Amino acid sequence: MGRGGRGPGGERFTFRVSRSMRNFESSVATNDRESAAVFDAQGNQLGEVISGDRLSVDIGPAIDAGVLPNAVLTHNHPGNNGIPPDLNAFSMQDLMIASQYNMRAIRAVTATREFTMERPAGGWPPPGLVRANYNAISRATADESRDRIIRGEPLQQVVADRNNSVPIAFSRAIADRYGARFTERPRRR
């Protein structure tokens, strides 16, 4: 359901990655700091590139400019947060922003992967539901981790596995539950 080319009502998804978006992503994919840019439906960049720190980027300038509704926010996820690039999909904050500002799509790129989540045909779930879904997945992985620790698996490995699995499981769950199109693929260079 969530990974196909149609929404829950049969609507075709229309989002395409523009050359300017791809160029921006290529320029930041391997950076050690997060950066973001906002694009309209035709792929034109809206405003300046926003630079952040190792773990986040403050999109306040894009919010203040009023450019987020129906736009595409793309940003990088640096590899310095401990999550392997193949699993470093969307955070709770990423999808709460997409929901709150009714964005057309949100993208994240790593050194090796690109992730896209497109707005469901029926609209994004409210930010509170995004948070609830994230918390449910986090609790489920915590329960699984507890069981692994009880079985005697090394604590450090169990914690790393749990931290690594939450972003990709969360992204897939939002797509499956709400009809969003979630794609994950090797990064195009």
Side-chain angles (χ1 to χ4, degrees), residues 1-14 118-122 175 178-182:
M1 176 170 97
R3 294 184 190 94
R6 294 184 182 272
E11 307 85 359
R12 287 179 105 51
F13 290 103
T14 58
E118 296 178 51
R119 178 177 54 212
Y178 299 101
R181 183 174 181 214
F182 173 56

Side-chain angles (χ1 to χ4, degrees), residues 136-155 157-166 169:
I137 289 166
S138 186
R139 277 192 305 275
T141 59
D143 291 345
E144 177 186 323
S145 296
R146 181 196 64 231
D147 294 344
R148 289 177 60 195
I149 292 166
I150 290 169
R151 288 193 305 265
E153 294 185 39
L155 177 63
Q157 183 61 52
V158 171
V159 169
D161 289 349
R162 177 179 184 266
N163 292 342
N164 294 344
S165 68
V166 172

Side-chain angles (χ1 to χ4, degrees), residues 6-37:
R6 294 184 182 272
E11 307 85 359
R12 287 179 105 51
F13 290 103
T14 58
F15 170 73
R16 296 286 180 264
V17 177
S18 69
R19 181 182 305 272
S20 60
M21 191 180 304
R22 185 90 49 215
N23 289 341
F24 165 75
E25 290 172 347
S26 291
S27 74
V28 300
T30 60
N31 289 358
D32 62 357
R33 300 172 87 67
E34 277 201 31
S35 296

Side-chain angles (χ1 to χ4, degrees), residues 67-87:
V67 298
L68 290 179
N70 294 311
V72 177
L73 174 74
T74 185
H75 65 300
N76 64 315
H77 281 174
N80 54 12
N81 63 359
I83 300 173
D86 290 354
L87 302 175

Side-chain angles (χ1 to χ4, degrees), residues 87-168:
L87 302 175
N88 204 353
F90 299 106
S91 69
M92 178 180 64
Q93 293 83 359
D94 289 341
L95 295 187
M96 286 179 69
I97 289 167
S99 168
Q100 183 175 356
Y101 294 98
N102 194 30
M103 293 168 34
R104 172 177 287 242
I106 189 163
R107 288 177 53 84
V109 295
T110 70
T112 60
R113 302 291 287 176
E114 60 184 54
F115 303 94
T116 304
M117 180 84 69
E118 296 178 51
R119 178 177 54 212
W124 293 102
L129 277 180
V130 171
R131 180 184 301 278
N133 277 274
Y134 182 87
N135 290 340
I137 289 166
S138 186
R139 277 192 305 275
T141 59
D143 291 345
E144 177 186 323
S145 296
R146 181 196 64 231
D147 294 344
R148 289 177 60 195
I149 292 166
I150 290 169
R151 288 193 305 265
E153 294 185 39
L155 177 63
Q156 190 171 12
Q157 183 61 52
V158 171
V159 169
D161 289 349
R162 177 179 184 266
N163 292 342
N164 294 344
S165 68
V166 172
I168 197 79

